[in-house]
Amino acid sequence: MPAPSTTPPARITVLSGGVGGARFLQGLLHLVAGGDTEVTVVANTADDIWLHGLKVCPDLDTVMYTLGGGIDTERGWGRTDETWRAKEELEAYGVEPTWFGLGDRDLATHLVRTQMLEAGFPLSAVTEALCARWQPGVRLLPMSDDRVETHVVVDDPDEPSGRRAIHFQEYWVRLHAEVPARAVVPVGIDQSSAGPGVVAAITGADLVVLPPSNPVVSVGTILGVPGVRDAVRSTTAPVVGLSPVVAGSHVRGMAAQLLTAVGVEVSAAAVAEHYGARSAGGVLDGWLVDTADADDVARVEAAGIGCRAVPLMMTDLDATAAMATAALDLAAAVRR
């Protein structure tokens, strides 16, 4: 793992989705281990869903479990050594939805969260309490304490309009993103406000990172919370992102389908242009693309964004830490 050419900054803020963001954070924490760097994570909560009377926060939990050592590493989500007795019993009763599985160990987290929410605690306070157990090594902040839920519009010949909106989790978990997404609608986002500490974590950072998370429904929804995009634009810290698209396709998830739904070409350069240069009203100062997309560097730079091509496949911890090193080095270069 190459060492960064500069000392890691004291305060790094990462705008994170679930699996991709969590894995990048593992590399970042490995890189800065033993130093004085404080890492704050602003996590997407627009993937949240209420199921069986319980509040489920997939991205918050994926970051918390991954960094706290409780994640199922093969799936990339949910608890390790999980069992599914409660899910089987719910199915036996014919209770829907049967397509979303809550594991028995994972269920405890949702029970605690829901009880605290119903007692009047905001999601930010609940998340802090849950992290007291897991000790993820970062300050984990929900993007908002308000309810925001992403819906995806799909074709449905049985509807008069020929289309219907379904929750993002249904699109991803039940349909496996195998049908075209016609539109992406983050319900409630315009009425939401940034969670406690979110704006300060961005404006007070020495570096802001957009990891290889989904640019539409992860980082995109975080930036959609009123006040967050303005904070990213106004921070004195450099803002560096890592492409979730490699060689014309997403590495994991459904970025390609959702980029198409919002009219963005599926390429590393197009995602950078989608975010935009801070010098032109966007949010990026620097952008890392994979070596497979080295030909995109000139196009990104023409958009006013510093760009380098480096390996972006998170094959192991050292490779991921090397990506974090490249992000720190690019941040130092664009700051100069």
Side-chain angles (χ1 to χ4, degrees), residues 184-208:
V184 180
V185 184
V187 178
I189 200 164
D190 292 341
Q191 293 76 43
S192 69
S193 58
V198 168
V199 169
I202 295 169
T203 58
D206 299 307
L207 170 62
V208 176

Side-chain angles (χ1 to χ4, degrees), residues 23-109:
R23 289 182 174 172
F24 173 79
L25 284 161
Q26 284 183 305
L28 177 63
L29 291 180
H30 184 59
L31 175 65
V32 303
D36 297 324
T37 299
E38 296 179 358
V39 178
T40 298
V41 180
V42 178
N44 169 51
T45 57
D47 290 2
D48 293 5
I49 188 170
W50 284 86
L51 289 171
H52 309 303
L54 300 176
K55 173 74 165 179
V56 181
C57 301
D59 286 1
L60 280 172
D61 290 347
T62 296
V63 172
M64 183 175 71
Y65 291 156
T66 300
L67 302 184
I71 199 75
D72 184 305
T73 55
E74 290 188 10
R75 290 198 309 265
W77 56 270
R79 291 291 308 280
T80 186
D81 298 324
E82 189 59 279
T83 56
W84 305 92
R85 296 295 179 84
K87 178 180 183 295
E88 292 165 1
E89 287 298 307
L90 287 167
E91 289 181 358
Y93 280 116
V95 176
E96 295 290 343
T98 57
W99 47 263
F100 196 103
L102 298 180
D104 301 328
R105 304 184 79 186
D106 193 30
L107 199 61
T109 298

Side-chain angles (χ1 to χ4, degrees), residues 1-2 10 36 60 72 77 79 112 134 138 158 172 174 186 222 237 251 257 262 274 278 299-301 327 335:
M1 178 185 68
D36 297 324
L60 280 172
D72 184 305
W77 56 270
R79 291 291 308 280
V112 173
W134 289 101
V138 301
D158 294 330
W172 176 226
R174 186 175 75 85
I222 297 172
V251 176
Q257 293 93 318
V262 299
H274 172 67
R278 278 216 289 174
R299 176 176 163 185
V300 175
E301 290 180 335
R335 182 189 289 275

